[in-house]
Amino acid sequence: MDPYAWSWNPEALVAVPALALGYALAVRRYPAPRWRIACAAGAAVLLLAVTITPVETIALNYLLSFHLVQNVVVAEWAPLLAVLAIPPALAARVPRVPAVPALALWLVNYGVWHLPWIYDAALRNPHTLLHLEHLLYFVTGLLLWWPVVHGDLGSGAKAVYVFAAFVLASPIGLMLALVPEPIYAFYEEAPRLWGVSPLLDQQIAGVLMSVTEAIVFFAVFAVYLVRFFREQDAAD
């Protein structure tokens, strides 16, 4: 298979426009400022960028590093933008999402799908298990970010929550970067691309996963930490 071929994933080409249409209809009733609409557009662009472009082709046929970046986008980056896109008036109509269960669900889902035998099974069944994996990544990602963006926690508690999410999820990337042998049979057997060995690919994957997670988590953590200190100054 040509590694630079576009995937034209039919599920993504249906699901992402459907979500965009649903959002467009929602904001007609619950108006949103332009920055929230831009967040919705950003989430859609990110999802399409990792599901219909050569990123998808390389992730599912050649390199673990591309697949892990794809997972971070689907499980963390795109859900955050999607939750930011929701107007508060619409969010208020959604049942409250408790922070601790939301974080626990996201962590358990993230960890289970990275178990070697489940990970390999998903890659060998891209039209069933892999789609389920990505769907659950996105849904639990929405749950993860909902208490941060629309919850009633204080700014300090939100900063602690985001920091805890990063700390509890980061061992996966660190493990992949440090383990001295490949752990996913699928990528050991995959055709080599650009001369990257399975072990080097795994090490790159672990580093990329940690870095891309750190970018989004520490950005949000910094926002709420600064807000917390400002609130304390105002109170004083």
Side-chain angles (χ1 to χ4, degrees):
M1 176 179 290
D2 180 4
Y4 306 107
W6 284 56
S7 171
W8 301 120
N9 185 322
E11 289 79 6
L13 289 172
V14 171
V16 175
L19 288 172
L21 177 59
Y23 180 78
L25 294 174
V27 296
R28 292 184 64 182
R29 183 173 180 182
Y30 302 95
R34 289 182 180 178
W35 72 267
R36 289 193 186 274
I37 295 173
C39 286
V45 168
L46 279 178
L47 288 173
L48 290 175
V50 297
T51 55
I52 69 171
T53 70
V55 170
E56 167 94 341
T57 305
I58 296 172
L60 301 191
N61 297 280
Y62 296 96
L63 296 176
L64 173 63
S65 49
F66 273 64
H67 194 190
L68 287 192
V69 170
Q70 182 187 54
N71 288 348
V72 170
V73 169
V74 174
E76 298 162 27
W77 287 42
L80 173 58
L81 288 174
V83 173
L84 285 169
I86 304 297
L90 176 57
R93 300 182 64 86
V94 176
R96 180 175 174 272
V97 178
V100 174
L103 175 57
L105 280 172
W106 179 77
L107 287 169
V108 169
N109 180 70
Y110 211 61
V112 166
W113 284 110
H114 282 89
L115 294 173
W117 66 274
I118 296 179
Y119 204 93
D120 286 336
L123 286 162
R124 297 184 196 282
N125 296 274
H127 300 297
T128 52
L129 279 181
L130 191 63
H131 285 321
L132 176 62
E133 174 189 338
H134 289 166
L135 174 63
L136 290 177
Y137 276 155
F138 186 70
V139 171
T140 56
L142 296 176
L143 293 176
L144 170 72
W145 292 116
W146 195 272
V148 178
V149 178
H150 298 295
D152 53 8
L153 295 173
S155 296
K158 290 180 178 180
V160 171
Y161 173 90
V162 172
F163 184 76
F166 173 73
V167 169
L168 293 171
S170 60
I172 298 175
L174 293 175
M175 178 195 68
L176 291 171
L178 298 175
V179 168
E181 58 185 25
I183 63 174
Y184 296 123
F186 180 89
Y187 287 108
E188 280 192 90
E189 302 164 4
R192 307 300 348 126
L193 189 62
W194 307 322
V196 177
S197 69
L199 181 57
L200 178 59
D201 177 30
Q202 181 172 286
Q203 292 169 339
I204 294 171
V207 173
L208 283 176
M209 182 178 183
S210 298
V211 170
T212 51
E213 284 183 335
I215 289 171
V216 65
F217 279 109
F218 276 97
V220 177
F221 169 76
V223 167
Y224 284 102
L225 187 63
V226 169
R227 187 174 296 180
F228 169 73
F229 286 128
R230 286 178 177 173
E231 290 170 353
Q232 295 303 303
D233 289 343
D236 293 339

